Amino acid sequence: MNLPTIKQLQYLTTLYEHGHFGRAAEACFVTQSTLSAGLRELEAVLDATLVERTKRVVRFTPLGEKVARKAYNVLREVTEIAQLARAAGRPLSGELRLGVIPTIAPFFLPKVLPTLRRSYPDLKLYLREEMSHVACDALMRGQLDCVLLALPYGCGDVQAAELFDDELVAALHETDESTLPNEVSPSDLDSDHLLLLEDGHCLRNHALAACDRPDLRGERAILGTSLHTLVQMVDNELGVTLLPRMAVDAGILDGTRVVTRPLTSDQAKRRIALVWRRKSPREDEFRLLADFFIAARNGSATRPAEVVEAPEAAASPAD
C-alpha cells in the first residue's frame, strides 16, 4: 500500500491553516507549483479529492477536512519522535517553539531571555505571541511545544508547571487618588467606568473574577485591545482598570499620571504557568525550563553544571 509522505501531509495542513496556495507555499518555503504538485500526489495516493480548486477560493472537501485534522496528529507524533531522541541528549538544545500570551510576553520575557541565551546557547528558541485560545490550539496541533500563560484557563489535555502568582492591582488617574482608599475593595470600583481587555484575553476573566461582584458584567465595561491601550485610557481619565503587577514593575506606567492601589480581593491574582501536551517526551526539558524561569525571575538563574558540563568532561577526560 502506498502511504502519504510527511512532506505531503505538511503541505496539506499548511494549506488548511492558511487557506491560500501562495501563502501556504511561502510558509513551506517552496514554490506554489511544488506545493500544488505535492497535494495532487497525495490525492493520487489516497485516490480521493481533498481540495476543490477555484480561482478565488480554496475549499476543502469534507474528506479533506478530516484528513487534514488527522494529519496534524500524525505530524505531531513524528515531531515528538525527533524530540524524544533530542531529549535523550543534552536538554534545552535544538529547537523549541514557545507560545506566550500578550499580557505576559513584553513584561516577563525581556527579563529572562538574555539569561536563557547565555545559559543555553544551543537552544534555538522560536517565540510566538498569541492570545490564550490561539496558543492552546497551536499547542494541541503540534505547532507549539509549550505555552507560557496565566491560570486558571482551560487549555486542553495539558500538564502544567506553575511558576508564580502575579497579583492584580487597581490603576487610576492621579486626580482620583483621593476618591479611593489606600487598599481598594471591589465594591469601590465604578462598574460604569471600568476598563477591560476585549474578548479573547484571559486577563479579562481574571479581572472580573478579582472584582467578585455579581452586578459587574464584562459587557458593561469599556474595552481595550491591549494593556498599553488601557493605560492610555486611564491616563486620559476615561476610567479605572486592573493591571498585572508584572506589567507595572516592567514600567508600563512610566510617563503617565496613572497610579496603582492594591486590591483586597483574594481573587486578585493570576497564576503564571508553563503548559505542554500531556505525555510529551520533552516533559523533563519543560520542567527544567519552568525551573529556569522561576530562578531567572528571582535573579538566581545559573546553568546547571550536571546537565551540560558532565557530558563534555566524560567525552574528553584528558581535558
Side-chain angles (χ1 to χ4, degrees), residues 189-241:
L189 298 176
D190 183 356
S191 61
D192 292 327
H193 294 87
L194 180 65
L195 310 175
L196 293 175
L197 289 174
E198 61 185 2
D199 278 335
H201 291 275
C202 60
L203 184 61
R204 168 190 172 94
N205 296 330
H206 295 152
L208 290 171
C211 293
D212 193 25
R213 282 171 51 188
D215 64 308
L216 186 57
R217 300 188 303 275
E219 60 266 23
R220 292 177 55 188
I222 304 172
L223 304 182
T225 57
S226 70
L227 289 181
H228 288 88
T229 300
L230 293 183
V231 168
Q232 291 304 311
M233 293 168 77
V234 175
D235 194 35
N236 283 278
E237 302 183 65
L238 297 179
V240 299
T241 192

Side-chain angles (χ1 to χ4, degrees), residues 244-288:
R245 170 58 64 185
M246 72 163 60
V248 176
D249 291 344
I252 195 173
L253 302 183
D254 291 353
T256 72
R257 294 177 295 167
V258 179
V259 296
T260 62
R261 292 285 185 272
L263 286 168
T264 58
S265 170
D266 292 336
Q267 303 298 319
K269 61 183 178 182
R270 57 180 187 162
R271 181 153 294 180
I272 308 304
L274 185 71
V275 303
W276 57 88
R277 292 183 298 276
R278 190 174 298 278
K279 298 182 180 179
S280 168
R282 301 180 73 180
E283 178 180 348
D284 290 343
E285 273 194 289
F286 299 145
R287 292 197 181 278
L288 178 61

Side-chain angles (χ1 to χ4, degrees), residues 2-151:
N2 290 330
L3 295 176
T5 66
I6 298 300
K7 183 63 68 177
Q8 290 167 351
L9 296 181
Q10 287 175 331
Y11 289 165
L12 183 70
T13 56
T14 306
L15 181 62
Y16 188 70
E17 181 179 352
H18 290 274
H20 186 276
F21 274 94
R23 290 193 293 270
E26 289 179 6
C28 292
F29 302 101
V30 298
T31 64
Q32 187 169 330
S33 59
T34 297
L35 183 133
S36 182
L39 291 174
R40 290 189 184 280
E41 291 170 2
L42 174 61
E43 290 178 319
V45 168
L46 299 178
D47 191 22
T49 300
L50 304 178
V51 181
E52 296 176 4
R53 300 160 176 83
T54 67
K55 291 184 177 180
R56 295 184 179 180
V57 179
V58 174
R59 183 179 294 109
F60 275 68
T61 65
L63 177 61
E65 291 190 356
K66 292 179 181 178
V67 172
R69 288 193 290 268
K70 283 285 186 181
Y72 278 115
N73 295 332
V74 172
L75 293 173
R76 186 178 70 190
E77 293 292 333
V78 170
T79 300
E80 290 186 348
I81 290 174
Q83 292 173 345
L84 183 62
R86 186 185 305 121
R90 293 197 302 172
L92 292 182
S93 63
E95 295 183 1
L96 191 149
R97 300 163 299 173
L98 173 65
V100 191
I101 63 174
T103 57
I104 294 178
F107 313 114
F108 180 68
L109 293 184
K111 183 174 183 178
V112 301
L113 288 187
T115 308
L116 183 65
R117 283 196 298 268
R118 289 193 301 268
S119 300
Y120 296 97
D122 295 330
L123 177 64
K124 212 171 186 182
L125 186 64
Y126 294 94
L127 295 174
R128 181 166 159 179
E129 183 177 315
E130 300 280 10
M131 288 193 286
S132 299
H133 68 283
V134 178
C136 288
D137 182 60
L139 179 66
M140 291 299 103
R141 289 186 175 190
Q143 297 168 321
L144 291 174
D145 299 312
C146 53
V147 176
L148 194 59
L149 47 66
L151 303 178

